[in-house]
Amino acid sequence: MQKYIDKIKDFNELVMFEHSIFSLPFIFIAMVVAADGWFGFTLLIFGVLAAVSARNFAMGLNRFADRDIDADNPRTESRPSVDGRIDASSILIFIAVNAFVFVAVAYMINSLAFWLSFPILFVLGSYSYFKRFSSLAHIILGISLGLAPIAGVIAVSAEITPWSVLLSLGVIFWVAGFDLLYSLQDIEFDIQNNLHSIPSKYGSDATLFISSIFHGLSVVFWAMFVWVASLGVFAWTAVVLSAFMLGYEHHLVRKDFTKIDRAFFTVNGYLGIFFFILVVMDRLAV
């Protein structure tokens, strides 16, 4: 039994399951707004399964594709995909199972979700290889998570609404912005190994500036989302709070690069949770 428990822990470390917190709140924000309130337990379960399986697929493929890179990077050399705890065949099976689960769940939701599940998987998988030839990989990661709100509204209403696109654009620039900050940790490694990233191409100062622009765009798009969706004061509070939290994130990173993990995981994790709670409160107040 302990062997299986250890293997589960290894797979959890492989994909960092707890980081699903970045995409889940915005899926449910879209579902709450689309349903104008509670969207039902069935869609709740489907939403969680779709989000987790999609992320597991993307992270599993990323770890598989990056085994050679991760083995040479001191920051990543102890990952299960590198140190032998999980072999390549097991990772490929994990990727295939999660892809199947995602498509199957999409099929059970509605036909539009099903047909869009295939290009979504393609986008999710493309990030793993993009950084080998383009510094736009940060944007691809943003798009990967930014698809979450659109997926949420499709699940509820089988359509793509203007406000969901604005919400997604906010997520795209939010994720791309904090990925820029996170990638500052590997700037020297990327330069030495000819990996394409904005920090390795333009330097840390330019990266911090571009990240701040991206996060400014996030706040703008989230404000447009609240306006177009005709939400109320609690949703506007979520936008203002997000602006302050992103500002604090940049303050932490600019002050000390060793605070990047704290900025990346803690601040961004709470941002999504608070945004979701405030949107729910907004719908309850109607």
Side-chain angles (χ1 to χ4, degrees):
M1 177 62 72
Q2 187 60 44
K3 179 177 71 173
Y4 295 108
I5 293 175
D6 290 340
K7 186 60 66 175
I8 291 173
K9 289 180 179 178
D10 289 339
F11 273 102
N12 177 65
E13 184 180 341
L14 179 77
V15 299
M16 301 298 285
F17 175 79
E18 61 271 22
H19 294 169
S20 298
I21 194 65
F22 296 136
S23 59
L24 278 173
F26 285 94
I27 291 176
F28 292 132
I29 286 169
M31 294 173 77
V32 166
V33 176
D36 199 22
W38 175 234
F39 43 80
F41 283 106
T42 299
L43 283 181
L44 173 65
I45 294 171
F46 283 162
V48 171
L49 285 175
V52 172
S53 60
R55 188 180 178 282
N56 284 348
F57 165 81
M59 289 297 295
L61 183 57
N62 182 256
R63 295 293 185 257
F64 178 82
D66 282 0
R67 287 172 300 155
D68 57 333
I69 298 173
D70 290 344
D72 294 330
N73 189 338
R75 188 177 64 83
T76 58
E77 62 184 1
S78 62
R79 284 176 173 171
S81 52
V82 177
D83 64 12
R85 281 177 287 161
I86 303 178
D87 59 48
S89 297
S90 297
I91 298 175
L92 287 173
I93 293 172
F94 180 79
I95 294 167
V97 168
N98 278 282
F100 175 80
V101 170
F102 178 70
V103 173
V105 169
Y107 177 81
M108 289 186 284
I109 292 174
N110 57 53
S111 59
L112 180 59
F114 172 69
W115 289 113
L116 288 179
S117 65
F118 299 101
I120 286 175
L121 286 178
F122 176 79
V123 173
L124 293 176
S126 65
Y127 168 73
S128 300
Y129 299 95
F130 224 84
K131 63 189 171 192
R132 296 173 185 263
F133 61 86
S134 174
S135 57
L136 293 177
H138 310 282
I139 301 293
I140 300 300
L141 180 63
I143 293 172
S144 297
L145 271 73
L147 292 170
I150 290 178
V153 74
I154 288 173
V156 172
S157 57
E159 63 177 347
I160 300 175
T161 60
W163 60 258
S164 68
V165 174
L166 294 169
L167 179 59
S168 290
L169 285 169
V171 174
I172 288 171
F173 285 106
W174 169 53
V175 172
F178 71 62
D179 187 58
L180 285 173
L181 299 180
Y182 190 71
S183 63
L184 286 169
Q185 297 176 104
D186 293 327
I187 185 169
E188 296 300 329
F189 179 82
D190 289 350
I191 293 172
Q192 294 168 7
N193 291 271
N194 297 316
L195 295 175
H196 297 269
S197 68
I198 287 177
S200 66
K201 187 173 184 179
Y202 299 107
S204 58
D205 289 341
T207 298
L208 289 167
F209 176 74
I210 295 170
S211 176
S212 65
I213 295 297
F214 281 4
H215 282 159
L217 288 171
S218 295
V219 175
V220 170
F221 281 120
W222 283 335
M224 293 174 67
F225 149 68
V226 171
W227 179 65
V228 173
S230 300
L231 301 181
V233 64
F234 287 110
W236 283 110
T237 302
V239 174
V240 174
L241 181 61
S242 297
F244 277 107
M245 294 183 75
L246 290 174
Y248 176 63
E249 177 178 350
H250 281 265
H251 169 72
L252 285 177
V253 174
R254 287 175 183 274
K255 185 177 180 181
D256 184 355
F257 278 11
T258 63
K259 299 290 196 305
I260 287 177
D261 273 356
R262 179 181 172 190
F264 183 82
F265 300 120
T266 306
V267 177
N268 289 299
Y270 280 123
L271 187 154
I273 293 171
F274 288 146
F275 208 122
F276 170 69
I277 291 172
L278 286 164
V279 169
V280 170
M281 291 173 63
D282 195 84
R283 293 298 82 193
L284 291 175
V286 174

